[in-house]
Amino acid sequence: MKMIKYPAYLAGMTTAIFFSTPLFAQSSMISNPAISGVLEGYYQEGERPLSETEKGFGLGHTELAMSANIDDYFFGKLTTVIEQHDGDIEVGLEEAFIQTLALPAGFSLRAGRFLSDIGYLNNQHTHSDSFVQRPLAYRAFVGGHYFDDGLRINYVAPTDIYWLLGVEAFTGKSLRSEAHVHEGEALPDYKTVGAMTAYSKWGGDIGLSSSWQFGLSYLRNEAGTQMIHEEHAEHEGHEEHEAEIHEAGHDEHSGHSHNAAYTGKNTYIADAVFKWAPEGNYKYQNLTLSAEYFLQQDLFALEHDGHIEQTLSEQNRAWYVSGVYQFLPQWSAGVRYGQADVWQAHGDHLHQQEFKETDVMLAWHHSHFSTVRLQYSYQQGNQYADITDDHIVTLQYVMTLGAHGAHQF
Amino acid sequence: MALAAMPAAAQLNVFSCEPEYAALVKELAPNAKVFSATTAYQDPHMIQARPSLIAKMRQADLVVCAGADLEIGWLPMLMMKSANAKVRSTEQGLFYAAMQVETLDKLDKVDASMGDVHALGNPHLHFDPQRLLQVAQALTVKLSQLDPEQQANYQAAFMDFSQRWQQAIDRWLTQAKPLQGRKVVGYHSSFRYLYNWLGIEQVADLEPKPGLPPSSSHLATLLAVVEQQAPTAIVLASYQDNRGANWLAERTGLPVVVLPMSVGGNEQSQDLFSLYDSVIALLLDSQS
């Protein structure tokens, strides 16, 4: 080896540096518990179907969350949500989970209560949404967003194209179909693992400016099929029951619950997201296009003496497309169209309900932490949905305090 | 040099948050596979935790970032989603440049009303050549820890880099002498370390608060500051919008200078050396 003369200070350095250790053990961003709050409030003209928000002044998701690395093997997060409905304050536990940090080969495990990874929007917190309400599809099929107690295994493949595979098992309680239990009868014998999901996501970049993600998800809901007693199903009465139907429908939709309004044994979701920013610089301008399609099958079965005689072939469908453009650092505007074609059983017959929703919104973001949003929605429903043509305007603020977690794509 | 006789060992896969650290890794580990998550045209505060970055981090042996919370809006999400245990801890394959040096402008108390400030100090430290050399030294230790077989090569590469860097520092200081004592209008504290090193003073900021875009009311107040302080240029980084700067330039006659924020930020900036060359040349040009 050739001898090279180094300045004296370098000679000292070489011996010293290979034995020195970093001065600080951990960065602040992973060592301290991150505590964050979300304040959300609105004023709304009119009511939205399948919605959590009510007419007039109200509070949306008021959130208090805490998260941290528990140790070098586990991460934990707790999110409580405080909501008000009809004057009642409800405290809910939306997340309380642990996740592994050190499993090998791209695997991770999550246990506890958490948001399912199905679809595009489901695992995102509502305060990061670009519209006042989740799309109709989410409100109809998973109660806005599906969180439950269970277990998840995710695997990220070691490929340059992002590829995620995951499976989840849940109690499925909030997804159960309406059970027509008569007084004195026992509840149906529900399975311990009431819901299972499987999904795959792919994603990548197109040049420097564009990125995409595509996902396919399957949700199996063991208690998703609604039983229709055959003796009722035999006679096809119609108009005389209409008043009763409307009333039942109304109760279900205005009463606050995170339960799914429409259920089926098998739900399939396809989702696609495309984001663009000039040179990939998101600060000044960026565009997000997203779309999701839900197909729900095995909605109803004819039952006779506790046996399923026949599963009916009706299907529920819902989808939306959305485009949001941030045209200045502090301003964004968006358009969304969504539609739901769903079936509802009332006693002995099925009715097809149809909802359509067009949203236009304008939002002002003073900083990353504060948003004020004005949204106009045009809603349409057919005679069996509990809405007719309606115009709704909502003025909303969403603000976060404390540690602000990183956002998902 | 001994670098030519490198053994064919397993290639180290390095994920770098910013291009300056990708360039530094290339200096110290020329055989490594290096990926930069951002370019000099992207604001590193505002990066999407996008799928392609998750996929790259999934495969990384080492993640090198500025730290001091610069990447707090996206790096934690990438770490969580990439499920790569190797790069989760600074004891293993995670390396923060800001942890290796004393940062400027550390704050005892941070309040969100102050804007996007970092309690851990200013993270844009790659424009201080001495601090960058300290980072290079610590990074050499990290590379050797992760890939002990090549320790001698990393060490030799560092010695070589260090020698060339020291020579360049002397040259830059001589070149930049006319810049000493100059005043500029800036955008964010992007060049805090550069100004600190070369004795330049940023007398006004286009941002009303760190992270907030220039507002017309704030820009109007800068007219008086320009008159009082007599700065000689408005300086932007390659990823910053020029509308506010142009507005002020039209009314004050000051030149607008766009400096590459990192390697790749203009045609000249191909590595760390040419990045510094270009930045000093651009500043000197604007003063003549």
Side-chain angles (χ1 to χ4, degrees):
Chain A
M1 196 172 159
K2 208 167 121 189
M3 287 295 290
I4 300 168
K5 278 194 180 169
Y6 294 110
Y9 74 91
L10 277 177
M13 209 189 261
T14 43
T15 49
I17 60 167
F18 292 98
F19 300 99
S20 68
T21 49
L23 287 169
F24 315 90
Q26 294 273 302
S27 137
S28 77
M29 70 189 194
I30 50 174
S31 62
N32 299 329
I35 296 172
S36 66
V38 178
L39 296 176
E40 190 184 319
Y42 63 86
Y43 180 81
Q44 184 169 294
E45 280 284 342
E47 291 206 25
R48 296 167 187 277
L50 302 164
S51 160
E52 291 176 28
T53 55
E54 295 162 6
K55 195 174 172 175
F57 287 107
L59 294 176
H61 264 64
T62 305
E63 232 180 74
L64 190 63
M66 198 169 87
S67 66
N69 284 354
I70 293 160
D71 53 30
D72 53 340
Y73 272 45
F74 299 102
F75 167 88
K77 185 171 185 195
L78 177 72
T79 307
T80 54
V81 176
I82 302 145
E83 287 170 295
Q84 186 167 8
H85 288 282
D86 300 321
D88 297 326
I89 300 281
E90 295 169 10
V91 179
L93 198 56
E94 197 170 282
E95 289 178 305
F97 68 81
I98 56 152
Q99 177 166 335
T100 60
L101 298 174
L103 287 188
F107 283 96
S108 63
L109 222 107
R110 184 177 283 203
R113 178 170 298 182
F114 54 91
L115 292 158
S116 168
D117 247 351
I118 53 169
Y120 168 59
L121 274 183
N122 195 69
N123 65 7
Q124 309 225 7
H125 284 267
T126 50
H127 70 254
S128 61
D129 285 7
S130 296
F131 295 89
V132 173
Q133 298 283 314
R134 278 275 145 111
L136 265 173
Y138 278 89
R139 279 141 57 200
F141 297 147
V142 290
H145 49 181
Y146 177 42
F147 58 90
D148 201 346
D149 300 349
L151 186 71
R152 166 195 299 170
I153 302 168
N154 269 0
Y155 168 71
V156 188
T159 48
D160 279 350
I161 291 272
Y162 172 64
W163 185 22
L164 172 84
L165 286 164
V167 287
E168 297 166 324
F170 290 114
T171 70
K173 279 178 189 165
S174 66
L175 298 179
R176 285 173 188 166
S177 71
E178 237 179 292
H180 296 283
V181 180
H182 300 286
E183 218 177 317
E185 277 180 16
L187 275 167
D189 193 11
Y190 289 118
K191 290 194 176 168
T192 316
V193 177
M196 301 270 280
T197 73
Y199 46 85
S200 185
K201 296 173 201 235
W202 299 266
D205 290 344
I206 307 163
L208 277 174
S209 303
S210 310
S211 304
W212 59 275
Q213 184 178 284
F214 177 72
L216 290 174
S217 312
Y218 167 63
L219 166 65
R220 182 178 176 87
N221 179 359
E222 295 293 350
T225 305
Q226 192 174 331
M227 297 303 162
I228 297 171
H229 296 289
E230 209 166 38
E231 53 270 32
H232 294 293
E234 273 160 10
H235 57 91
E236 295 275 324
H238 280 301
E239 306 308 317
E240 67 269 25
H241 291 299
E242 208 154 296
E244 177 202 351
I245 288 156
H246 271 265
E247 210 180 311
H250 185 79
D251 282 351
E252 181 166 336
H253 298 150
S254 64
H256 169 245
S257 112
H258 284 289
N259 290 356
Y262 302 90
T263 61
K265 189 164 193 169
N266 298 302
T267 304
Y268 306 89
I269 309 167
D271 64 86
V273 192
F274 174 85
K275 292 195 186 188
W276 173 88
E279 298 274 352
N281 191 11
Y282 279 78
K283 175 151 180 159
Y284 301 100
Q285 286 106 40
N286 63 72
L287 174 74
T288 300
L289 302 175
S290 58
E292 292 190 70
Y293 179 85
F294 286 59
L295 176 69
Q296 204 168 55
Q297 295 178 332
D298 305 303
L299 315 176
F300 307 103
L302 299 180
E303 186 193 41
H304 189 73
D305 287 338
H307 298 287
I308 293 172
E309 299 274 301
Q310 189 195 344
T311 303
L312 303 182
S313 63
E314 275 77 12
Q315 300 187 113
N316 286 340
R317 286 187 185 86
W319 56 275
Y320 74 88
V321 286
S322 140
V324 177
Y325 184 50
Q326 185 202 302
F327 53 97
L328 284 170
Q330 295 181 310
W331 290 89
S332 64
V335 188
R336 184 175 71 184
Y337 177 79
Q339 198 174 316
D341 299 295
V342 290
W343 291 92
Q344 193 154 48
H346 288 299
D348 55 5
H349 46 250
L350 301 175
H351 281 292
Q352 189 161 28
Q353 297 180 318
E354 193 179 271
F355 302 93
K356 291 177 183 172
E357 196 172 72
T358 308
D359 303 292
V360 181
M361 77 86 190
L362 180 69
W364 173 64
H365 318 271
H366 177 62
S367 67
H368 320 308
F369 314 108
S370 56
T371 298
V372 177
R373 176 175 291 121
L374 182 67
Q375 181 172 321
Y376 161 77
S377 304
Y378 176 54
Q379 304 171 346
Q380 293 160 280
N382 71 356
Q383 58 172 326
Y384 296 115
D386 30 316
I387 51 161
T388 47
D389 292 9
D390 210 351
H391 306 270
I392 313 272
V393 175
T394 306
L395 183 63
Q396 179 203 35
Y397 65 81
V398 184
M399 313 226 169
T400 55
L401 2 140
H404 192 53
H407 281 299
Q408 302 189 48
F409 177 73
Chain B
M1 285 292 300
L3 288 175
M6 267 201 188
Q11 201 182 22
L12 207 62
N13 192 327
V14 184
F15 178 106
S16 162
C17 285
E18 294 85 18
E20 59 268 23
Y21 297 112
L24 187 59
V25 172
K26 281 178 195 154
E27 295 282 354
L28 301 174
N31 286 356
K33 186 179 173 190
V34 187
F35 169 78
S36 176
T38 61
T39 72
Y41 294 99
Q42 299 172 347
D43 187 335
H45 303 84
M46 307 281 286
I47 299 300
Q48 291 275 319
R50 52 188 205 274
S52 64
L53 299 188
I54 300 169
K56 292 286 187 186
M57 189 174 280
R58 160 73 175 87
Q59 302 171 72
D61 301 305
L62 171 64
V63 169
V64 180
C65 296
D69 290 352
L70 174 63
E71 303 93 353
I72 196 150
W74 49 285
L75 187 56
M77 186 57 70
L78 292 182
M79 287 185 170
M80 184 61 77
K81 295 237 163 191
S82 62
N84 182 352
K86 283 194 280 187
V87 298
R88 284 211 60 97
S89 154
T90 50
E91 283 157 34
Q92 292 171 48
L94 177 59
F95 181 90
Y96 289 123
M99 282 168 77
Q100 319 306 327
V101 298
E102 192 59 42
T103 55
L104 294 175
D105 308 330
K106 274 196 177 132
L107 297 166
D108 292 333
K109 197 169 157 275
V110 171
D111 186 304
S113 68
M114 296 154 78
D116 263 358
V117 288
H118 309 283
L120 298 172
N122 187 314
H124 311 290
L125 58 93
H126 61 287
F127 275 118
D128 180 327
Q130 296 296 350
R131 283 184 168 88
L132 195 64
L133 191 59
Q134 279 176 267
V135 172
Q137 182 184 331
L139 188 55
T140 306
V141 178
K142 179 55 77 181
L143 288 164
S144 306
Q145 176 202 333
L146 296 178
D147 187 12
E149 276 181 28
Q150 291 203 57
Q151 175 164 340
N153 290 324
Y154 296 132
Q155 191 169 351
F158 170 71
M159 297 309 286
D160 176 54
F161 171 75
S162 176
Q163 200 174 32
R164 287 184 292 129
W165 194 248
Q166 283 291 342
Q167 283 165 1
I169 292 175
D170 293 343
R171 188 178 79 236
W172 291 325
L173 281 174
T174 315
Q175 284 172 349
K177 213 150 230 168
L179 297 172
Q180 208 166 7
R182 293 296 169 96
K183 293 174 176 176
V184 296
V185 177
Y187 187 148
H188 195 68
S189 48
S190 303
F191 296 106
R192 174 75 172 89
Y193 290 88
L194 181 76
Y195 298 161
N196 183 58
W197 173 49
L198 297 178
I200 297 171
E201 193 188 346
Q202 179 168 316
V203 293
D205 193 331
L206 296 175
E207 286 187 330
K209 293 218 162 130
L212 295 189
S215 62
S216 44
S217 59
H218 176 71
L219 287 172
T221 66
L222 297 187
L223 290 171
V225 180
V226 169
E227 198 157 317
Q228 240 173 27
Q229 300 273 353
T232 55
I234 304 167
V235 179
L236 297 181
S238 44
Y239 63 74
Q240 286 162 347
D241 184 69
N242 60 11
R243 274 173 290 189
N246 289 345
W247 185 92
L248 193 63
E250 268 169 41
R251 281 154 187 83
T252 57
L254 289 177
V256 176
V257 186
V258 180
L259 300 183
M261 190 60 204
S262 186
V263 174
N266 62 9
E267 228 173 278
Q268 291 76 36
S269 305
Q270 298 300 316
D271 58 18
L272 289 165
F273 293 89
S274 51
L275 171 69
Y276 272 62
D277 285 339
S278 173
V279 162
I280 289 170
L282 284 166
L283 283 172
L284 285 168
D285 279 354
S286 75
Q287 311 281 334
S288 55

